[in-house]
Amino acid sequence: MVVDESGDETVDRLFHALADTTRRDILRRCVRGELSVSRLAEAYPMSFAAVQKHVAVLERAGLVTKQRSGREQLVRTDPDAVGRARQALDELESAWRGRLNRMARLLADEPRSDEPGSDEPRTSTPRAFDPDEKNTTEGSER
């Protein structure tokens, strides 16, 4: 399997950005329409600089773009960004489903020891101890 490191780095940045509640909320707010960073900062109990850092993480991940308008920086969601996240998840799901399906086929093809024609010896399951069961062995009278 060939690992696409640049693709992995992009996906890592994408999911790192989405892993934070504040960044997901910023993303949701910007989907409704572009907002200035200062307007976004008003909505959170943190400093303006902290919100700027969250926006920068989203921007590096390609989830938002910033555009200067006068003294403000307007933040806009990239509509294709969510599609990239979905594509990455779909690829992971496909790989895991393929692995699980191969494993299921292998297990279905493997002969079990209790099936007729199996080369493996049959094993018996030990009986559970039952304290109420009478002992029928001779010489065990009380």
Side-chain angles (χ1 to χ4, degrees):
M1 179 168 98
V2 176
V3 176
D4 178 9
E5 289 184 21
S6 65
D8 282 348
E9 289 175 15
T10 301
V11 171
D12 288 348
R13 280 193 302 272
L14 184 66
F15 287 109
H16 169 73
L18 293 172
D20 184 83
T21 306
T22 301
R23 290 192 286 266
R24 287 192 308 272
D25 190 61
I26 290 171
L27 199 58
R28 275 190 291 272
R29 288 172 188 270
C30 292
V31 164
R32 296 183 203 129
E34 64 184 19
L35 294 170
S36 68
V37 176
S38 56
R39 182 71 183 253
L40 284 168
E42 292 171 2
Y44 302 102
M46 60 183 74
S47 69
F48 175 82
V51 173
Q52 271 185 316
K53 288 180 182 179
H54 280 298
V55 170
V57 170
L58 291 167
E59 188 176 29
R60 278 193 302 275
L63 292 165
V64 299
T65 58
K66 285 190 303 190
Q67 181 179 7
R68 186 162 286 289
S69 175
R71 293 177 45 203
E72 295 185 319
Q73 288 192 18
L74 299 177
V75 181
R76 177 181 304 138
T77 299
D78 179 356
D80 297 328
V82 176
R84 289 191 301 273
R86 179 177 302 283
Q87 180 182 358
L89 286 173
D90 287 345
E91 288 172 8
L92 285 171
E93 180 186 20
S94 176
W96 278 103
R97 284 192 187 275
R99 289 177 183 170
L100 290 172
N101 288 339
R102 284 191 301 277
M103 198 179 322
R105 283 193 306 272
L106 285 170
L107 291 172
D109 292 344
E110 186 176 287
R112 292 178 25 193
S113 63
D114 58 349
E115 290 179 351
S118 171
D119 295 332
E120 296 179 36
R122 258 193 138 144
T123 57
S124 63
T125 306
R127 291 179 36 205
F129 172 72
D130 183 359
D132 295 328
E133 186 176 297
K134 291 186 179 179
N135 187 352
T136 57
T137 309
E138 290 183 60
S140 60
E141 296 174 17
R142 290 195 173 176

